């Protein structure tokens, strides 16, 4: 990942505060703000890698905003609102190389007025030994059967070491290292070295899985949860609910200590159970304050990691303990209707099939998430998701989609068209795609349809309203004309169940993806497999188009067959060994 800087206008809130301060000055109500405040903050720059550095600012009095201004050689001034992480404000600057000098300063709010700091300089890469050597952990991160006593050292004499044990980025106010750190449970340690007159070291990171896993002998692996809500939600307000089949055919949930427990409807009335709208629910969630890194089992089928803010998830359990009820976004009385939540999907079996997982907007968008999947032994390191703030996503959505889709957004989420009654039979937009569907079906009534799906060749024609033809292996297909709802749901005519054969379902899958992406009407079906042609002007799934536009690498799972032509956020490790680390970050 890299950070690209862009010039931008001064934020609206900054202008508002400046205007208020100016008005007060004119009225004689406030003293003039000094060019810079008294020493009421700490600041610094921490190298992230060869091309990036993180600028941080920690005020002694909580600030409502901190803006970073900086200049690089030969470039104009850049201005950014920093992101709050606990009590520290942060911003990563990219485009650096060894010896690059960064000139930077801050504007911060303190009890109403805004203050400017002096200008500071930072030399990336140390430039001749001016950077503190990156700390080293001993023993190194890894999977261990028992607790470890971890020492942290740096080769720079006289440097102080600051560290964290919850996966957060350390700053000058983090815990001062004074002796071995006892790691008795799965933890992510991070450390920096600091010395007056030298540049702060790069961040050192080590993940310790206690009790096995993380690429170790029994195939378990650590999952770290990061609170990137910029101070809006505390760790005690960020909830994790994992449900999956660890034993085939049996649903279980994960506790904060990493133990897996089979779901049990009797827990709905056990001590500590949840209650909402007069109904009892089992308490199957834990908060990041209880555990920010947990060990996941070595087999997961149908796994979902729900992340919710301000509230746990309310999940009913069947009386036979064989099933559970996920959130129903079509039901306004669902207990999770007024809960901010999103989720990550995963599956994996050590020694049998590789880890696969994805963020998803197939049903809804609740808040921004990123998922970083790593496997140290193979160098696998992939990140998917959305890095914009929630406010940016919501405002951009209203500006980026057509009128028919704007009403899908509410206070708690943006629902997908497949989960909205608006696009279902009887809804106001039930025939939204009918013109395009008719156009395509009429065209292939008069013309032959051919498709080359990565070497799989299909040929057919619409006869009596049904697209009929054969694949190059001789198998036949028969796909009825779909409706708008079936396109958005990838259901019905486009997902014909058995006894229909796989060829029929493959053709329905490809048509579903093409309709959603706005290319089904292109007679040149090569366009169906060219992402540069996706989501043109005209009738299409505007919801999916928007989330692809704002997601990392433009990959999103925004409709059920979004994995056609490898456009989804699914990431799969090509071996059956466990990941070294899965990191799920919650944004706001």
């Amino acid at each position: 990942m890299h950070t690209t800087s862009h010039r931008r206008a001064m934020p609206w809130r900054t202008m508002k505060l400046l205007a208020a301060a100016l008005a007060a000055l004119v009225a004689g109500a406030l003293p003039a703000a000094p060019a810079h405040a008294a020493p009421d903050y700490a600041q610094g720059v921490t190298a992230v890698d060869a091309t990036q550095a993180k600028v941080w600012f920690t005020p002694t009095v909580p600030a409502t905003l901190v803006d970073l201004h900086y200049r690089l050689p030969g470039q104009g001034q850049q201005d950014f609102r920093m992101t709050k992480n606990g009590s520290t404000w942060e911003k990563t600057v990219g485009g650096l190389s060894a010896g690059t000098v960064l000139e930077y300063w801050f504007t911060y709010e303190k009890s109403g007025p805004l203050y400017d700091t002096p200008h500071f300089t930072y030399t990336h890469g140390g430039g001749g030994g001016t950077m503190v050597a990156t700390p080293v952990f001993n023993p190194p991160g890894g999977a261990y059967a028992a607790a470890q006593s971890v020492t942290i050292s740096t080769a720079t004499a006289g440097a102080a070491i600051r560290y964290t044990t919850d996966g957060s980025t350390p700053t000058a106010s983090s815990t001062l290292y004074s002796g071995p750190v006892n790691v008795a449970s799965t933890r992510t340690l991070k450390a920096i070295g600091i010395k007056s007159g030298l540049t702060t070291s790069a961040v050192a990171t080590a993940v310790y899985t206690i009790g096995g896993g993380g690429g170790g002998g029994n195939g378990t692996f650590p999952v770290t949860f990061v609170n990137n809500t910029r101070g809006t939600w505390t760790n005690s307000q960020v909830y994790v609910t994992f449900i999956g089949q660890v034993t085939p055919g049996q649903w279980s949930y994960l506790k904060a200590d990493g133990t897996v427990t089979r779901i049990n409807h009797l827990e709905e009335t056990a001590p500590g159970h949840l209650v909402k709208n007069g109904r009892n629910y089992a308490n199957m969630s834990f908060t990041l304050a209880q555990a920010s890194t947990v060990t996941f089992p070595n087999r997961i089928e149908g796994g979902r990691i729900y992340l919710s803010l301000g509230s746990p998830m309310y999940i009913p359990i069947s009386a036979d303990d064989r099933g559970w009820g996920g959130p129903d976004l079509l039901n306004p009385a669902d207990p999770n209707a007024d809960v901010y939540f999103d989720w990550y999907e995963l599956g994996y079996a050590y020694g049998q099939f590789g880890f696969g997982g994805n963020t998803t907007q197939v049903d809804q968008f609740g808040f921004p998430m990123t998922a970083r999947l790593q496997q140290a032994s193979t160098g696998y390191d992939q990140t998917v998701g959305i890095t914009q703030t929630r406010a940016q996503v919501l405002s951009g959505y209203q500006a980026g989609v057509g009128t028919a889709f704007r009403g899908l957004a509410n206070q708690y989420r943006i629902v997908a068209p497949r989960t909205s009654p608006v696009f279902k039979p009887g809804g106001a937009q039930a025939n939204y795609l009918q013109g395009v569907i008719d156009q395509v079906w009429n065209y292939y009534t008069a013309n032959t349809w051919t498709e080359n799906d990565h070497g799989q060749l299909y040929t057919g024609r619409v006869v009596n309203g049904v697209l009929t033809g054969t694949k190059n292996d001789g198998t036949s297909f028969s796909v009825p004309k779909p409706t708008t709802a079936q396109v958005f749901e990838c259901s019905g005519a486009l997902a014909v169940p058995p006894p229909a054969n796989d060829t029929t379902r493959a053709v329905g899958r490809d048509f579903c993806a093409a309709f959603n992406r706005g290319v089904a009407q292109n007679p040149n079906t090569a366009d169906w497999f060219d992402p540069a042609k996706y989501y043109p002007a005209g009738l299409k799934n505007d919801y999916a188009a928007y989330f692809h536009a704002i997601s990392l690498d433009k990959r999103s799972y925004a409709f059920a067959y979004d994995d056609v032509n490898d456009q989804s956020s699914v990431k799969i490790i090509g071996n059956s060994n466990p990941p070294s680390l899965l990191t799920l970050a919650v944004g706001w």
Side-chain angles (χ1 to χ4, degrees), residues 494-586:
L494 302 179
V496 181
N501 61 19
D502 289 343
T503 300
T504 293
R505 286 190 289 277
V507 172
R509 173 202 65 199
D510 288 355
F511 265 92
C512 181
F515 277 122
N516 276 280
R517 292 166 177 166
V519 294
Q521 58 270 45
N522 293 11
N524 181 5
T525 55
D527 291 352
W528 294 20
F529 300 94
D530 182 357
K533 302 292 178 59
Y534 294 167
Y535 305 113
L539 294 177
K540 59 186 179 301
N541 186 339
D542 285 9
Y543 170 93
Y546 176 72
F547 280 104
H548 276 276
I550 67 170
S551 297
L552 293 174
D553 198 28
K554 298 190 183 301
R555 291 178 180 270
S556 171
Y557 224 138
F559 60 90
Y561 287 148
D562 216 350
D563 52 351
V564 170
N565 201 31
D566 191 25
Q567 295 303 297
S568 76
S569 56
V570 172
K571 292 298 178 185
I572 300 173
I573 294 178
N575 59 71
S576 60
N577 292 321
S580 299
L581 179 64
L582 171 64
T583 304
L584 299 180
V586 179

Side-chain angles (χ1 to χ4, degrees), residues 417-419 423-425 484-492 512 516 560:
R418 65 169 261 151
T419 49
F423 290 93
K424 295 189 181 298
T484 291
Q486 289 172 345
V487 168
F488 286 137
E489 294 173 354
C490 296
S491 67
C512 181
N516 276 280

Side-chain angles (χ1 to χ4, degrees), residues 276-277 279 281 328-338:
K276 189 166 186 180
N277 299 332
R279 194 211 193 276
Y281 298 89
D328 181 2
L329 298 177
L330 284 168
N331 178 13
D334 187 274
N336 301 293
D338 59 354

Side-chain angles (χ1 to χ4, degrees), residues 154-168:
T154 173
T156 302
I161 296 174
R162 300 280 180 169
Y163 72 96
T164 61
T165 60
D166 61 359
S168 62

